[in-house]
Amino acid sequence: MSVTVSERKTYPVYILLDVSGSMRRSAPGSRSPQAAFTEMIPDLIMSLSDSPALSKAVWISVIAFGDRPELLCPMTSLDGPVLVRRPQDGRQTDYVAALRFLGDRIAEDNRTIEQGGARAGHRVKVARPLVFFITDGAPYAQDRYQLPAEWMPHRDRLVAPPVEARIATVGLPDAHPRTLWQIATGRPDGRRNAFLAQPGAAGDGLARSVVEVVERSITLSVRAGEMIMDVPHGMRRVDG
């Protein structure tokens, strides 16, 4: 007697959050971007988990980066409890270390997803990762700016076969537009999922807008099989 084992397509989602010193600056009467995102990311995960379709299709990991990358949440199915630790405070913004750390985790995370499917009694086809890169500055480490020639090879490793990650970059007001565009992926016509906050956008309102768009993007991207992301309120799309 043969047994048919079903196959399920599963989507790994990574949220990379800048925790450099500038992310802890706040306008009078509002929280810092780091504090706002640290509180809202667990709310985002809880909201996604409430969808029966997404909870079975999405696994998520949260990585903070400043002086060094820090794994706040290992790759975890939304179909179970998802725990996100609070990040340590950073000072600088090491893009090389962050992108290299992400690239080094993907193969292991894919195995974790496949093993989870095996325990549940089905095969898993792991989709291309969805990566949301949230930052408020330019690449800066060891007290100097990092050149594109230093971090681009790690970005290119992520978007090349076999990984072919789809990356959206979300820059707060002081982020470097060209850097956001270079890291993001998009369409063959050059339009990329790179977004920059308008001058004056800050605080909880900006963080909430970003989190809401990330939630919508994950929902639509899983349904469509490709990254779909709207422009967050208070932001603009960055052109190359």
Side-chain angles (χ1 to χ4, degrees):
M1 177 179 177
S2 63
V3 177
T4 301
V5 179
S6 63
E7 182 175 80
R8 180 178 297 172
K9 193 167 186 180
T10 304
Y11 292 81
V13 174
Y14 293 90
I15 298 177
L16 272 69
L17 178 63
D18 181 352
V19 293
S20 59
S22 55
M23 286 287 285
R24 293 188 298 282
R25 298 174 189 154
S26 59
S30 67
R31 291 185 299 173
S32 69
Q34 180 174 318
F37 280 109
T38 297
E39 179 176 307
M40 290 180 189
I41 286 174
D43 292 343
L44 161 69
I45 293 171
M46 185 177 298
S47 179
L48 292 169
S49 300
D50 286 340
S51 164
L54 291 179
S55 68
K56 296 184 183 302
V58 173
W59 288 56
I60 199 161
S61 178
V62 182
I63 298 168
F65 67 96
D67 302 317
R68 63 189 63 83
E70 180 186 6
L71 186 63
L72 304 183
C73 174
M75 186 58 68
T76 305
S77 172
L78 292 184
D79 203 18
V82 182
L83 303 177
V84 183
R85 296 190 297 108
R86 296 187 70 84
Q88 298 180 13
D89 291 343
R91 185 172 66 90
Q92 304 189 70
T93 318
D94 194 336
Y95 280 33
V96 171
L99 294 169
R100 180 171 56 213
F101 183 81
L102 174 58
D104 289 345
R105 288 208 58 84
I106 286 175
E108 178 183 345
D109 289 343
N110 286 354
R111 287 192 294 272
T112 297
I113 294 170
E114 290 166 353
Q115 290 165 1
R119 287 193 298 270
H122 57 262
R123 290 193 305 268
V124 167
K125 180 179 180 182
V126 182
R128 296 160 57 193
L130 297 171
V131 179
F132 298 91
F133 191 96
I134 302 169
T135 183
D136 78 332
Y140 191 85
Q142 299 177 339
D143 299 314
R144 67 172 182 84
Y145 286 102
Q146 294 175 325
L147 300 175
E150 297 176 83
W151 49 262
M152 277 297 289
H154 300 288
R155 180 268 184 195
D156 291 345
R157 173 188 171 200
L158 289 168
V159 304
V163 177
E164 297 183 290
R166 294 160 292 179
I167 305 175
T169 52
V170 179
L172 304 193
D174 291 332
H176 188 259
R178 178 64 181 173
T179 300
L180 297 174
W181 187 89
Q182 287 176 298
I183 292 177
T185 60
R187 302 174 183 173
D189 63 5
R191 191 181 188 194
R192 296 191 178 185
N193 289 309
F195 306 94
L196 180 65
Q198 302 285 5
D204 287 8
L206 178 59
R208 186 173 298 107
S209 174
V210 170
V211 167
E212 288 172 353
V213 168
V214 169
E215 178 180 351
R216 174 175 164 79
S217 175
I218 293 170
T219 303
L220 295 177
S221 299
V222 168
R223 291 175 182 168
E226 61 181 84
M227 177 171 271
I228 298 173
M229 190 162 179
D230 300 326
V231 180
H233 180 71
M235 308 192 82
R236 64 175 177 85
R237 190 182 296 272
V238 177
D239 296 322

